[in-house]
Amino acid sequence: MMTTSPLFHSLIQSTLRIRRQILYGATLSYRTQTHTQDVKKTIPIVQEKEEFILFGAGPAKLPKEVIRTAQSELLDYAGTHQSILEISHRSAEFMALNNATIQKAKDLLNIPDNYKVLFMQGGGTGMFSAIPMNLIGKTGKADYIVTGQWSAKAAKEAQKHGKINQVYPKLDKYGKIPEQGSWKMDPEAAYVYYCANETVDGVEFQEIPETNGVPLIGDMSSNIFSRPIDVSKV
């Protein structure tokens, strides 16, 4: 027979109370003990603010409907009585969400059937190493189109894994993309890498670079889904 201590019971009750208060937008009050005193703290729950316009180069403002749906399901996702942050990644509910998200990505970008959709940790920066470690081995060489700080960091990291060719001399100042006719591509490159949107330097490709059949890797972590993309070229 399992029994619970008063402390454990109190913790459970406090957790349920906080969840209820978050759900209904109340003000949270709780006590915390220090070595010398018992301190009461109050945390106001942030209510919905008035409309504003966001001009962020990377993160985008989400529709209110999306935020409200995420808020309403955060404490009880799909009737599981658990948050999406708490359920097992092997559970039927999570797998259904994962598969549905993959299908939506395929639909939105018209992704061909010979492509796989993978959700990777680390973002664009994490891929700086993962891409050459997995793809450069064919020839040990790769072409990098360096148009800003992000692609420069990617090229620097890739140098640890093979010979990197920057397709044109280093620019004195970022802010433009040299004409593709001036690029010097390595015919033995295993792939070509570019950053579609350099958020720090304000440089965005309006067209997908032509690589004449060489696999193209595009860092689109800041502008993917912002417009149609011919995925068959990337």
Side-chain angles (χ1 to χ4, degrees):
M1 180 177 179
M2 186 185 342
T3 60
T4 58
S5 67
L7 178 61
F8 181 78
H9 179 73
S10 175
L11 177 61
I12 294 297
Q13 292 301 314
S14 297
T15 301
L16 292 175
R17 176 175 58 83
I18 290 174
R19 283 192 169 200
R20 286 195 297 269
Q21 289 174 321
I22 291 177
L23 182 63
Y24 294 108
T27 298
L28 301 185
S29 297
Y30 67 97
R31 291 184 178 276
T32 178
Q33 289 187 336
T34 67
H35 291 293
T36 57
Q37 59 182 337
D38 184 32
V39 181
K40 184 177 181 180
K41 295 184 177 182
T42 300
I43 304 177
I45 301 301
V46 178
Q47 302 294 331
E48 187 173 296
K49 296 182 179 180
E50 62 185 39
E51 283 289 337
F52 66 95
I53 299 175
L54 175 65
F55 292 101
K61 187 173 182 290
L62 295 174
K64 285 288 181 63
E65 294 79 4
V66 174
I67 298 296
R68 291 193 185 101
T69 299
Q71 180 189 46
S72 66
E73 295 183 347
L74 186 59
L75 302 180
D76 183 3
Y77 177 73
T80 62
H81 305 294
Q82 300 174 83
S83 167
I84 188 64
L85 308 176
E86 299 169 317
I87 64 175
S88 169
H89 63 283
R90 297 186 181 90
S91 66
E93 292 80 9
F94 183 84
M95 291 306 299
L97 173 64
N98 186 69
N99 293 335
T101 305
I102 289 175
Q103 188 58 53
K104 288 178 181 178
K106 289 183 175 181
D107 294 341
L108 286 170
L109 293 179
N110 195 27
I111 298 175
D113 292 336
N114 60 325
Y115 281 65
K116 293 288 186 181
V117 177
L118 303 176
F119 298 117
M120 310 292 289
Q121 296 179 342
T125 302
M127 295 296 103
F128 292 170
S129 291
I131 288 169
M133 289 176 69
N134 284 276
L135 300 178
I136 206 171
K138 184 177 179 180
T139 65
K141 301 178 180 181
D143 283 338
Y144 274 68
I145 306 169
V146 179
T147 53
Q149 293 187 36
W150 295 120
S151 50
K153 290 180 179 180
K156 182 178 179 180
E157 186 66 26
Q159 289 174 355
K160 300 176 182 178
H161 307 284
K163 184 178 179 180
I164 302 305
N165 170 51
Q166 294 192 27
V167 300
Y168 47 76
K170 182 178 180 181
L171 301 175
D172 294 332
K173 182 180 179 181
Y174 296 129
K176 64 178 181 179
I177 303 172
E179 292 292 333
Q180 185 161 350
S182 67
W183 301 358
K184 294 183 178 180
M185 316 292 280
D186 186 341
E188 296 183 350
Y191 64 86
V192 179
Y193 182 101
Y194 84 113
C195 179
N197 186 35
E198 295 276 5
T199 55
V200 177
D201 301 286
V203 180
E204 183 176 16
F205 280 78
Q206 299 304 310
E207 297 179 355
I208 296 176
E210 178 57 56
T211 63
N212 297 317
V214 178
L216 177 64
I217 308 300
D219 176 358
M220 300 179 180
S221 51
S222 65
N223 65 349
I224 194 169
F225 295 115
S226 65
R227 60 187 179 187
I229 301 170
D230 186 351
V231 177
S232 66
K233 293 183 178 181
V234 186

